[in-house]
Amino acid sequence: MKIIESTDAAQRHVRERTGKSVLVPTMGALHRGHLELIRVAREYAGRDGEVAVSIFVNPLQFEPGSDFEKYPRPESTDEKFCADAGVNLLFRPRDMYFEDRSVYVDETQLSAGLCGAARRGHFRGVCTVVAKLFNLLAPAAAVFGEKDYQQLAIIRRMARDLNFSIEIIGVPTVREADGLALSSRNQYLDTDERAAAPVLYQSMLRVKELADRGENSVSKLIDVARSVIASAKGARIDYISIVDAENLQPLETLRPNALIALAVFIGKTRLIDNLRLT
Ligand code: AMP
């Protein structure tokens, strides 16, 4: 596995590279969810293609007062994880931003609601760093998790609107046996919080059950999700929304393509999840 730590070296690598490259952008603290993205990337790249993983804890996408400082950075474990997973290139840049940077990528519609409303500037940071990674590594395709559904939708829109010739591939959410979506942030949870955390998935399953039985009032469905989450100790709802999965606009009545998305604090840890309802 080749490791590149500077943007110059990345551009040199791309000039000399032959064959197709598929990129998996991450912030590290790698887990089985990331492994599934790497597996899908290999499928697309083929045996002789390049699977590239980037690890960069992007300061631009952390709003003030969030967990940028304490975000886990297990460098050598992540390096071994990538080597064992058959990754060809690990890109962990030390020099992503110029101090006097003044250009950003802003998506202005899909990022208005959900996590974009709760975390001002977050998706601007995400789009800016992903656009830089796309330019630096020039992949044929890039793989993202549906766990961060809004992010995936925004990246698709960015690639479309800015004409990146990069195929965007979405991968279904990988979960623990009890339904909790894998996340690097799960390691912040103490024992009691970990026991409470599956309530996100349970609440969405309950909503899906009711939707499958014909309940189509979004406000009723959201009330049900709220009451399931209220039953878990230490859980505080940031938002629960039922939206159109294409344009992320809130719905009043269920119709095809509906998605429930939520963010819940378990103690101090903010977890997100989502599920297709129809
Ligand atoms: P992160 O390192 O948390 O920024 O995530 C990097 C990529 O992995 C993003 O595209 C995430 O959506 C994806 N990802 C994170 N957790 C999961 C999961 N449990 N299942 C599938 N994809 C995931």
Side-chain angles (χ1 to χ4, degrees):
M1 179 176 76
K2 183 168 179 179
I3 300 179
I4 293 182
E5 303 194 326
S6 79
T7 51
D8 280 350
Q11 285 173 308
R12 227 173 12 253
H13 171 78
V14 167
R15 278 197 298 274
E16 289 158 10
R17 183 178 70 197
T18 53
K20 180 159 140 183
S21 177
V22 180
L23 171 65
V24 181
T26 82
M27 298 204 300
L30 301 174
H31 52 65
R32 267 190 307 117
H34 299 112
L35 189 61
E36 177 61 7
L37 269 55
I38 292 169
R39 190 190 66 73
V40 171
R42 174 59 65 198
E43 248 175 47
Y44 272 71
R47 220 179 35 163
D48 300 328
E50 174 182 89
V51 171
V53 170
S54 62
I55 297 182
F56 182 64
V57 183
N58 174 29
L60 277 193
Q61 70 188 69
F62 286 78
E63 60 284 27
S66 65
D67 58 342
F68 177 70
E69 299 297 338
K70 75 164 185 181
Y71 198 86
R73 293 165 171 85
E75 270 207 358
S76 55
T77 315
D78 279 349
E79 189 177 314
K80 181 166 183 319
F81 185 104
C82 287
D84 291 348
V87 169
N88 304 108
L89 172 68
L90 170 57
F91 180 48
R92 47 177 194 207
R94 314 291 190 199
D95 60 344
M96 262 315 240
Y97 293 113
F98 294 93
E99 247 173 53
D100 61 347
R101 64 182 175 268
S102 54
V103 177
Y104 299 86
V105 180
D106 232 341
E107 194 288 328
T108 57
Q109 280 181 16
L110 302 174
S111 35
L114 306 175
C115 286
R119 304 181 67 187
R120 291 272 160 218
H122 170 68
F123 287 115
R124 182 191 216 219
V126 170
C127 286
T128 302
V129 82
V130 172
K132 284 167 72 73
L133 289 168
F134 284 1
N135 285 330
L136 282 164
L137 296 176
V143 186
F144 295 84
E146 287 177 0
K147 191 211 150 225
D148 300 276
Y149 189 91
Q150 188 178 18
Q151 168 173 283
L152 172 60
I154 290 169
I155 298 295
R156 282 193 200 286
R157 178 66 61 90
M158 176 183 85
R160 185 197 76 175
D161 284 3
L162 297 185
N163 304 99
F164 282 104
S165 298
I166 297 173
E167 188 179 350
I168 307 299
I169 300 161
V171 173
T173 302
V174 179
R175 300 180 180 283
E176 302 282 8
D178 60 10
L180 175 64
L182 267 74
S183 162
S184 307
R185 291 191 165 97
N186 291 351
Q187 52 185 279
Y188 298 153
L189 303 170
D190 68 23
T191 313
D192 288 346
E193 291 167 347
R194 175 62 189 81
V199 77
L200 277 79
Y201 189 54
Q202 286 158 6
S203 70
M204 297 191 300
L205 282 183
R206 180 85 188 102
V207 167
K208 169 120 180 73
E209 224 172 79
L210 294 175
D212 287 347
R213 279 204 250 129
E215 178 57 70
N216 68 0
S217 154
V218 163
S219 63
K220 280 191 191 152
L221 292 169
I222 289 180
D223 282 347
V224 168
R226 279 189 188 288
S227 66
V228 175
I229 290 168
S231 71
K233 219 177 102 210
R236 182 168 60 82
I237 295 164
D238 186 10
Y239 69 79
I240 303 177
S241 286
I242 294 180
V243 297
D244 179 286
E246 283 294 314
N247 62 24
L248 306 187
Q249 289 300 306
L251 299 176
E252 281 179 10
T253 310
L254 275 200
R255 55 173 191 235
N257 253 351
L259 176 100
I260 180 166
L262 44 75
V264 176
F265 283 94
I266 304 287
K268 286 193 175 128
T269 305
R270 184 175 178 278
L271 301 178
I272 60 170
D273 207 340
N274 66 82
L275 187 71
R276 252 329 239 277
L277 295 177
T278 54

